[in-house]
Amino acid sequence: MASFPASFVRGGTSNGLIIDCAALPQDQAEWQPVLSSAMGSPDPYGRQLNGMGSGISSTSKICVISESNRDDADVDYTFVQVGIKGGDLDMAGNCGNMSSAVGPVAWDQGLANGIRKGDEMTVRMFNVNTSKIVHSTFSINAKDSKYEPCGEYSIDGVPGNGSRITLSFQDPAGSKTGKALPTGNTIDTLDFLPDGTKIQASLVDVANPGVFVRAQDLDIPGDITPDILGADSKIMARLEEVRRAGAQLMGLDPNVQSVPKTVLVSKTEGENSEMNIVCRALSMQQPHKAVPLTLALNLGTACKMPGTIPATVAIGVDGKDSVVVAHASGKVEVGSVVKDGNVKSVLLHRTARVLMKGEVFYTLEHSD
């Protein structure tokens, strides 16, 4: 069997492979049979037992990295979402969780320079999917200046503590559509069913495109668990229709599953709650166990955009630099810098750890 070297990593609440681009075919069109097989797809059983994936969208991910030739970046990276049952490669959007591991891995592998301040290193990353710059700041140890994963910072959805990684997404608006509000409206009406059913949605593109709808408008409890949501085939089918209708209005291909993603929003339980807004997110037609980080960034920014559904639902965000988003596994705090109505940057904190390095084997028996 053929193989390639890779790192198996946890980034935030996701895990997957990080691969040096030099280890893959030069022609990106030839990546599909290699990467899908490595992750254990296609798998009609949906478990990916024959590869590195584990049957859910947040663990069927890959980042391909290379030294950057850009003046404003140290490393380039392409995020790849591998379809579990079909084995298709979706490279339409970025992943904030996996992005948190790219800087440390690229630095340790000598693929990226950086700016050092004391015991911290900042690596400038260019995300090929969205053509956006992300600054990754992480701890390094004094002994060998390698990434230091140990620390006291914790994130909901991941047991234990680690060192804090700060991701700052530069000029994040219009990642796929060119505008924060692709339609120019803070709220659009989606007309998505043959019977003429309509629903309001805010279509926002910051870090990654999102379709934000009120959970109550679909008669869905705001605090519904991912398992219960995923088990209701009628609701899931309705949410996919919402996503496709939103994609069309945003000028995106509805057949691309990774963007936009659908996010259900609802109010917190009280004005004294430490949370500002509650969300349930879907990714690749699956309820997310937490929330995709690029969607959390999008949601946090939308909460500060007057007139959007998130802004009308959120509680207690006026005058604050950050928004606390409650998700199915806990909470995440995201910050944004908005000047004169323009989104300059958004940031969040994560942890990451390299779990294993070695050779990943694959077979081309499924290729056409």
Side-chain angles (χ1 to χ4, degrees):
M1 294 178 67
S3 66
F4 56 80
S7 296
F8 183 58
V9 306
R10 176 188 63 77
T13 55
S14 295
N15 65 36
L17 297 174
I18 294 185
I19 308 165
D20 187 336
C21 188
L24 296 177
Q26 289 186 351
D27 185 354
Q28 196 175 93
E30 298 178 13
W31 287 7
Q32 192 277 330
V34 175
L35 298 184
S36 62
S37 174
M39 295 305 288
S41 296
D43 182 355
Y45 302 102
R47 299 181 65 190
Q48 295 179 307
L49 290 178
N50 217 25
M52 300 297 293
S54 56
I56 58 176
S57 63
S58 59
T59 62
S60 187
K61 299 182 175 184
I62 294 171
C63 286
V64 180
I65 63 176
S66 62
E67 185 176 352
S68 183
N69 293 321
R70 296 173 59 94
D71 292 335
D72 58 353
D74 303 305
V75 62
D76 296 342
Y77 74 103
T78 301
F79 169 66
V80 183
Q81 180 77 57
V82 181
I84 296 168
K85 292 187 176 182
D88 53 304
L89 304 186
D90 193 330
M91 292 178 273
N94 190 14
C95 171
N97 278 302
M98 287 297 290
S99 294
S100 65
V102 168
V105 170
W107 169 252
D108 281 357
Q109 292 185 187
L111 290 176
N113 294 315
I115 301 172
R116 180 171 182 171
K117 290 185 178 180
D119 60 356
E120 286 190 333
M121 182 66 63
T122 296
V123 169
R124 303 169 304 164
M125 311 185 302
F126 175 71
N127 176 244
V128 176
N129 310 72
T130 59
S131 297
K132 296 292 185 179
I133 297 292
V134 184
H135 292 175
S136 174
T137 301
F138 51 88
S139 298
I140 55 176
N141 60 58
K143 182 178 180 180
D144 57 8
S145 296
K146 296 292 187 180
Y147 167 59
E148 176 52 69
C150 298
E152 299 302 319
Y153 190 74
S154 65
I155 59 175
D156 288 337
V158 178
N161 301 325
S163 64
R164 189 177 72 175
I165 298 171
T166 299
L167 296 178
S168 179
F169 293 71
Q170 307 297 302
D171 187 26
S175 65
K176 299 300 291 185
T177 66
K179 295 188 294 184
L181 296 173
T183 67
N185 304 319
T186 54
I187 296 179
D188 286 282
T189 299
L190 306 182
D191 186 354
F192 60 89
L193 287 180
D195 62 4
T197 302
K198 303 178 187 297
I199 189 171
Q200 289 188 327
S202 287
L203 309 176
V204 187
D205 182 5
V206 175
N208 240 359
V211 179
F212 298 100
V213 295
R214 302 179 190 88
Q216 67 179 23
D217 288 351
L218 289 164
D219 295 323
I220 299 174
D223 61 352
I224 192 171
T225 67
D227 288 341
I228 292 176
L229 180 59
D232 192 321
S233 59
K234 290 185 178 180
I235 290 179
M236 291 300 294
R238 175 66 63 88
L239 290 171
E240 173 60 10
E241 290 169 338
V242 169
R243 188 197 68 80
R244 294 180 66 88
Q248 287 183 321
L249 282 183
M250 298 174 91
L252 300 171
D253 184 354
N255 294 317
V256 174
Q257 288 294 320
S258 63
V259 293
K261 301 184 193 301
T262 305
V263 183
L264 302 169
V265 296
S266 57
K267 290 184 179 295
T268 56
E269 293 184 355
E271 293 185 2
N272 295 324
S273 172
E274 63 175 325
M275 318 294 186
N276 299 118
I277 193 168
V278 178
C279 82
R280 293 295 183 266
L282 281 81
S283 177
M284 305 296 287
Q285 295 192 51
Q286 290 183 333
H288 204 280
K289 299 296 184 181
V291 59
L293 282 195
T294 49
L295 262 293
L297 291 169
N298 193 343
L299 175 56
T301 305
C303 286
K304 297 184 177 182
M305 301 173 69
T308 66
I309 286 175
T312 61
V313 171
I315 295 174
V317 300
D318 292 342
K320 293 185 177 180
D321 294 330
S322 61
V323 174
V324 180
V325 177
H327 54 78
S329 298
K331 64 181 184 299
V332 60
E333 184 175 4
V334 296
S336 60
V337 177
V338 181
K339 293 183 179 180
D340 300 324
N342 297 315
V343 185
K344 298 297 183 180
S345 65
V346 290
L347 64 86
L348 54 80
H349 303 301
R350 294 282 88 183
T351 63
R353 188 163 75 91
V354 175
L355 305 175
M356 185 175 64
K357 293 182 179 180
E359 296 289 316
V360 178
F361 292 88
Y362 64 92
T363 174
L364 300 180
E365 63 182 4
H366 293 298
S367 61
D368 292 333

